[in-house]
Amino acid sequence: KGARLDFVAQKATELGAAALLPVLTERTVVRAVNVERLHANAVEAAEQCGCLSLPAVREPVGLRDLLGGWPTGRGLIFCDEAGAP
């Protein structure tokens, strides 16, 4: 499972993400997120693709905490695989 998180960190860096913020939900399998490893993956990806900026790598946060502090005027995209089209 850690390899998938590494891949996401690399691709997000290559696409120019401003921050990497792991979010833990009720069904999250990987509970221990190595922030230093995420940062190392971001650095490596930036070097390989020639990016001049690195995303901020933040500590994991619970979904409830994230949503509880979400700014009122900021949009949020929610994708529900089980929902009706």
Side-chain angles (χ1 to χ4, degrees):
K1 305 288 182 191
R4 293 180 187 165
L5 187 56
D6 292 346
F7 181 76
V8 169
Q10 293 165 3
K11 297 307 165 193
T13 300
E14 292 170 4
L15 290 171
L20 301 177
L21 174 61
V23 178
L24 304 176
T25 67
E26 291 178 7
R27 297 177 191 244
T28 299
V29 175
V30 177
R31 287 285 175 192
V33 177
N34 186 336
V35 176
E36 289 81 24
R37 182 176 173 160
L38 282 180
H39 178 74
N41 275 291
V43 169
E44 182 180 334
E47 288 174 351
Q48 287 182 358
C49 73
C51 293
L52 299 177
S53 62
L54 286 175
V57 181
R58 300 190 181 140
E59 291 292 326
V61 63
L63 179 60
R64 290 183 192 274
D65 294 333
L66 178 70
L67 295 177
W70 197 259
T72 306
R74 187 172 189 182
L76 178 67
I77 298 172
F78 174 75
C79 300
D80 183 3
E81 294 176 351

